[in-house]
Structure formats: structure tokens, C-alpha cells
Amino acid sequence: MPDYKLYYFDVRSRGEVIRLLFHLADEKFEDQRIQMEEWGVLKAEMPLGQVPVLEVDGVKIAQTTAILRYLGHQFHRAGTNAVECARLDMMAEVIQEFMSAQGMGSYSRVLFGLIQANKEQFFKEKVLPDVEKYAPLVEKFLLENGNNGLLLGDRETWVDVFAAETFSKIIDYGSPDALDAYPHILALINRVFNHPNIKKYVAQRKPTPA
């Protein structure tokens, strides 16, 4: 197997889903958690001047979805044919749009205190409208695949992990009842986070502000 090194800050945010995928696959990787005082130097070494970045045998790959897609294929957590892969890509684009939407895309900066705003009010007025726009789309995909709590087939894919981590943060950092109207998303979160490998990792994970 290649030598993997993940560069990201010591928080969940956009890097945690990559860590979860490694743990799901039970694959070794170096989890390089960047401290802010290091970032000024490291930034110039990153392909796009940002993280997360996955280094594979010395080659650096940026962008969360590009990294996840690569690892999904490496770990056999992708589609079994071109059409299935395209459907997973379609769903991943929905998740990515959700993460980049006006409210959701700014919420982590609010949680970190980089944007001065009342957290509860921002969540209610800015984030929940994004949830109400994108969660029904994901709920629809899950419903089409039956009652196994997955987006495609009967085995967790990289997009299942992507969706579960993204929506779980709505509960963890927003409101525990924010997804009650979307039982299939809740089932997906439950299935992914109860996978033995992920459950073991999360049990040892320290809390972070976002």
C-alpha cells in the first residue's frame, strides 16, 4: 500500500471525513495535525495553499472530494461500475454544495470565533435554511436505495461517510433535533458511526470546536 500522510488542523471541519474513511478501511496513515504557528510555513508547500492535503508517496493531493474519491477507489469503497461511480459523484456534489452554501459554509468560522455572530441565532437563521434545501435531496437518494441506511448498494462508500460526517455536525454543533424530519439521514449517521472501526476511533476522539 502507498505511504499516506494527511495534513489538516487539529479539528474536525473538512478534514475529519478523510480520517474517518481511513479508519473505516482500517488503513494506516500519518495524521499530521497542523498547529497554527506551523501553518505560515506549511501553506507554501501545499498545492493550492490550503488543507486538507493528502500526501501519497510524496505526491500531494488537495481538495476534500478529490481526496475522498481517490481513497474510495483505493479502499474499494466506490461504485462497482462507471454509472454507480457517477451516481456517487452526483451525491457528493450535493454534499459539497451544502458544505459551501452561504450559511453552512460560514458556520465553522462562526464556531471558531472568526466571524462575530450569535451561534444559536446564526444556526437558526442561516444554517437551517441550507439544511432544509439540501437534506431532502439526500433523504430522497437514501429512500431510493431502500432501508439499509446507505446511498448506494449495501456497503458503506466514501460518499456515505462524507454525508454522515457532514450531517452529524448539524446535530453535534447545531441542534439535536435538527434532522428529525429526515429519518433516513439519521439512519445513515447511525450506521456509519456504529461501524466498529469508526466507533472505536470516535470513542477516543477529543472534542473540537467545529
Side-chain angles (χ1 to χ4, degrees):
M1 290 295 293
D3 183 32
Y4 295 116
K5 184 175 183 177
L6 175 66
Y7 295 88
Y8 198 63
F9 301 109
D10 192 17
V11 294
R12 285 171 69 179
S13 200
R14 289 182 176 265
E16 186 71 359
V17 60
I18 302 168
R19 297 179 184 125
L20 292 176
L21 191 53
F22 271 110
H23 286 285
L24 174 67
D26 197 23
E27 292 290 345
K28 293 181 180 179
F29 72 107
E30 182 180 347
D31 191 2
Q32 181 66 46
R33 298 192 178 225
I34 302 167
Q35 304 304 313
M36 287 308 299
E37 57 268 23
E38 303 175 285
W39 179 233
V41 174
L42 283 174
K43 183 175 181 178
E45 301 175 9
M46 300 300 144
L48 303 177
Q50 62 188 37
V51 285
V53 164
L54 179 67
E55 187 174 301
V56 184
D57 291 336
V59 177
K60 292 185 174 73
I61 303 168
Q63 296 288 9
T64 304
T65 51
I67 295 168
L68 290 173
R69 187 178 294 108
Y70 165 77
L71 292 177
H73 285 283
Q74 285 290 101
F75 300 157
H76 307 289
R77 295 286 179 172
T80 60
N81 56 53
V83 171
E84 286 189 356
C85 288
R87 281 182 60 80
L88 286 175
D89 286 344
M90 171 182 68
M91 298 171 201
E93 290 294 335
V94 172
I95 302 301
Q96 184 63 33
E97 280 189 21
F98 173 47
M99 290 179 62
S100 302
Q102 185 175 5
M104 186 65 178
S106 300
Y107 192 44
S108 63
R109 293 196 292 276
V110 172
L111 293 172
F112 285 127
L114 300 176
I115 295 176
Q116 296 301 312
N118 179 280
K119 296 175 183 179
E120 292 77 14
Q121 185 177 359
F122 189 92
F123 180 79
K124 182 178 179 181
E125 297 180 358
K126 302 294 185 180
V127 177
L128 280 182
D130 290 338
V131 173
E132 291 164 2
K133 178 179 179 180
Y134 290 99
L137 300 176
V138 178
E139 185 79 1
K140 175 177 177 288
F141 293 143
L142 289 164
L143 185 59
E144 288 177 355
N145 192 44
N147 292 314
N148 65 358
L150 298 175
L151 286 161
L152 184 72
D154 56 8
R155 188 168 184 259
E156 297 86 354
T157 67
W158 67 272
V159 185
D160 290 304
V161 180
F162 192 20
E165 168 64 7
T166 300
F167 280 101
S168 71
K169 286 183 286 196
I170 298 299
I171 295 173
D172 294 344
Y173 298 114
S175 173
D177 61 357
L179 298 175
D180 284 358
Y182 311 103
H184 289 80
I185 294 178
L186 291 174
L188 171 66
I189 294 170
N190 183 66
R191 174 159 175 167
V192 168
F193 281 93
N194 275 292
H195 187 283
N197 295 349
I198 290 180
K199 189 173 183 177
K200 180 181 178 181
Y201 163 70
V202 170
Q204 301 170 347
R205 181 175 68 186
K206 70 177 184 180
T208 65

